[in-house]
């Protein structure tokens, strides 16, 4: 970054104009002695069940969660709620240690944080930093009827919005390819609608800091364009 960019970023933080966007490559878990994105670890977890049940799938897509999760649902007798339960169990068991990057981000004066992962790393890191996050989430299946009181949102009480669902309501989790398409379709047509108070925070006066995104991914580009 050049000097002007640093000056602009500093002022944006001072004026609370920065929105933190957390992508799927930021949340990591330990797998076989190395750190991998949580979505990749979760995909391998479900792929193990496919191997056990001798379900055919494209082995080259073993790290693709949305594809593997959809194939998991093809196992005889498996219900959607089973997929949700196992995803929740895996995340809780493998996310006990908060990655260092979250502790660093928690120190920064954000008042709005948009999380596209299914973990609670950011909320826990904020709590450890002495802050009191205000959690909300989007449920692509139905209206949550929740509202955000932005009078209470500030850098000590930042809003953490779990855009791809929350483990508190596992039906809201975006896990399969079908979920992903339905999620994007519903966000674009505002049914169910992301709360107007949150959408109203997105404008060209804000600075958006992206961590853990592949912006060449068409789904995220479409989503960000909609926001």
């Amino acid at each position: 970054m050049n000097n002007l960019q640093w000056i602009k970023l500093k002022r944006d933080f001072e004026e609370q104009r920065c929105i933190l966007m957390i992508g799927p490559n930021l949340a990591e878990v330990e797998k076989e002695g190395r750190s991998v994105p949580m979505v990749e670890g979760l995909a391998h977890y479900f792929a193990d069940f496919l191997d056990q049940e001798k379900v055919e799938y494209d082995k080259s897509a073993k790290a693709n969660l949305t594809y593997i999760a959809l194939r998991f649902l093809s196992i005889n007798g498996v219900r959607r709620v089973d997929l949700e339960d196992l995803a929740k169990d895996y995340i809780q068991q493998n996310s006990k240690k908060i990655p260092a990057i979250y502790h660093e981000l928690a120190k920064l004066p954000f008042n709005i944080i948009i999380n596209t992962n299914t973990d609670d790393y950011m909320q826990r890191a904020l709590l450890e930093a002495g802050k009191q996050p205000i959690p909300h989430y989007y449920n692509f299946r139905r209206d949550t009827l929740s509202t955000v009181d932005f009078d209470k949102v500030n850098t000590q009480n930042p809003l953490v919005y779990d855009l791809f669902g929350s483990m508190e309501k596992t039906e809201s989790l975006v896990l399969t390819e079908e979920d992903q398409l339905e999620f994007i379709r519903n966000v674009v047509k505002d049914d169910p609608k992301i709360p107007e108070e949150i959408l109203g925070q997105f404008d060209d006066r804000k600075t958006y800091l992206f961590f853990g995104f592949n912006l060449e991914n068409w789904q995220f580009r479409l989503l960000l364009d909609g926001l």
Side-chain angles (χ1 to χ4, degrees):
M1 293 179 67
N2 60 36
N3 188 50
L4 177 58
Q5 290 171 325
W6 279 115
I7 291 172
K8 290 167 59 180
L9 182 60
K10 180 176 181 294
R11 177 60 63 84
D12 285 337
F13 270 122
E14 291 171 348
E15 299 295 330
Q16 298 186 13
R17 293 194 295 247
C18 289
I19 294 179
L20 173 61
M21 308 288 294
I22 297 177
N25 294 326
L26 195 67
E28 294 184 335
V29 296
E30 293 295 320
K31 184 180 187 302
E32 298 175 353
R34 63 188 182 94
S35 294
V36 300
M38 180 178 288
V39 288
E40 181 179 327
L42 189 54
H44 280 274
Y45 175 64
F46 284 120
D48 288 342
F49 287 103
L50 297 180
D51 292 335
Q52 293 167 20
E53 298 296 326
K54 296 181 171 53
V55 175
E56 292 186 1
Y57 66 96
D58 182 358
K59 297 296 193 296
S60 68
K62 195 170 186 176
N64 184 334
L65 175 60
T66 57
Y67 167 73
I68 294 296
L70 190 61
R71 294 299 298 143
F72 177 80
L73 289 177
S74 71
I75 296 176
N76 186 38
V78 166
R79 304 163 298 170
R80 166 71 193 205
V81 70
D82 300 322
L83 174 70
E84 296 166 10
D85 288 344
L86 287 170
K88 182 176 181 178
D89 289 346
Y90 176 88
I91 294 166
Q92 289 181 332
Q93 291 168 10
N94 291 274
S95 63
K96 292 182 171 59
K97 181 180 178 181
I98 305 173
I101 183 63
Y102 284 88
H103 291 297
E104 296 304 315
L105 291 173
K107 298 174 185 177
L108 298 176
F110 293 105
N111 58 1
I112 300 175
I113 299 169
I114 307 296
N115 180 36
T116 65
N117 294 313
T118 53
D119 60 85
D120 60 355
Y121 281 144
M122 195 70 246
Q123 292 185 40
R124 287 159 50 202
L126 289 165
L127 288 170
E128 290 190 14
K131 300 181 181 182
Q132 295 297 319
I134 300 173
H136 282 269
Y137 68 91
Y138 179 68
N139 186 341
F140 73 100
R141 297 180 182 277
R142 66 188 82 251
D143 197 329
T144 60
L145 300 177
S146 64
T147 58
V148 181
D149 184 357
F150 267 92
D151 289 337
K152 297 180 179 178
V153 174
N154 52 55
T155 56
Q156 283 301 118
N157 304 97
L159 169 70
V160 179
Y161 193 67
D162 290 321
L163 191 58
F164 278 19
S166 168
M167 289 189 291
E168 293 182 8
K169 189 72 171 177
T170 54
E171 70 164 15
S172 68
L173 298 177
V174 178
L175 297 171
T176 71
E177 289 177 341
E178 291 179 351
D179 291 349
Q180 194 173 66
L181 291 173
E182 184 179 353
F183 169 87
I184 293 172
R185 182 170 59 247
N186 292 353
V187 167
V188 170
K189 70 179 184 179
D190 290 336
D191 183 22
K193 188 177 180 64
I194 295 174
E196 196 63 49
E197 316 91 87
I198 294 177
L199 288 177
Q201 301 300 312
F202 287 80
D203 57 51
D204 59 8
R205 295 176 60 84
K206 300 293 195 309
T207 289
Y208 304 90
L209 298 184
F210 296 88
F211 285 83
F213 279 96
N214 176 4
L215 294 181
E216 295 181 357
N217 184 306
W218 70 266
Q219 295 97 328
F220 285 112
R221 291 170 64 184
L222 178 60
L223 171 63
L224 294 172
D225 185 62
L227 290 174

